[in-house]
Amino acid sequence: AICQPAQYVIEGTVIKVDDGDTVIMQVVGSGKKTIRLASIDSPEAAHTQQERGRVGQPYSAKSTAYLTSLVLQKTVQGNCFEQDKYGRDVCNLSIGNTWINAEMVRSGFAWANMSARGRYLRDQRLLQIEAAAHQAHAGLWADDAPVAPWVWRDSCWKQHQCSTSPK
């Protein structure tokens, strides 16, 4: 599939990084917006103690820290496609010529999002970027058996079968 063109563009300063694929942006002339990075999925963070059984995934803290190092307190451009069911703008983020979504995959701190049989993958190039990160044992690919977040959400959060390397 060809990368879908953005439907709208937003620009602002990232004021908080929630996890490896979600940030809060102070948008120029608009207020705060939650941005979900399009086409990628990062290791799941525990997020909150109120959600019983929502155990954090290995590499979630490192993924969040890496995204923080890339975007926190920096001006970013979001080329956005839609709002998701949680009201987050789903966007490709960039700073100059750096495509942040791809950088997360290249570094080994996010997967190309193949959940729902690839429904959320808007840019096929991320599959090759992920393959190169895997081959280089970058980030989470240094682990013997990294578990994709969509598998983790099902096996750990829904079926309560959590471990540091669930199969």
Side-chain angles (χ1 to χ4, degrees):
I2 298 169
C3 183
Q4 295 175 344
Q7 300 298 313
Y8 56 100
V9 176
I10 57 177
E11 190 172 307
T13 302
V14 173
I15 57 173
K16 182 175 188 239
V17 175
D18 266 352
D19 57 29
D21 55 35
T22 309
V23 301
I24 311 294
M25 182 191 298
Q26 183 69 46
V27 178
V28 176
S30 178
K32 294 178 188 172
K33 287 192 173 273
T34 302
I35 309 298
R36 171 69 165 81
L37 278 66
S39 300
I40 72 168
D41 205 356
S42 68
E44 289 294 341
H47 286 295
T48 175
Q49 299 305 316
Q50 280 79 33
E51 296 179 280
R52 287 181 56 115
R54 293 277 175 117
V55 177
Q57 194 173 357
Y59 292 94
S60 64
K62 289 181 180 180
S63 176
T64 302
Y66 189 67
L67 183 56
T68 299
S69 76
L70 293 174
V71 301
L72 188 63
Q73 299 302 323
K74 295 180 182 165
T75 300
V76 299
Q77 181 173 311
N79 294 299
C80 307
F81 304 100
E82 64 191 352
Q83 283 196 338
D84 67 11
K85 65 183 179 182
Y86 304 108
R88 302 175 297 187
D89 292 277
V90 179
C91 311
N92 282 328
L93 287 187
S94 59
I95 298 175
N97 292 327
T98 302
W99 179 20
I100 300 301
N101 310 46
E103 183 54 35
M104 290 301 293
V105 175
R106 183 178 295 108
S107 68
F109 290 120
W111 278 260
N113 192 344
M114 291 303 293
S115 65
R117 295 193 244 22
R119 175 179 169 198
Y120 303 108
L121 183 67
R122 289 187 161 86
D123 195 319
Q124 298 289 320
R125 293 175 296 175
L126 290 169
L127 294 171
Q128 284 118 9
I129 294 168
E130 179 183 295
H134 190 173
Q135 188 172 22
H137 303 286
L140 58 88
W141 298 109
D143 191 298
D144 289 338
V147 177
W150 53 93
V151 174
W152 181 268
R153 289 188 293 268
D154 182 62
S155 65
C156 181
W157 290 0
K158 290 181 183 171
Q159 298 175 30
H160 306 291
Q161 297 174 2
C162 306
S163 72
T164 54
S165 338
K167 301 284 182 219

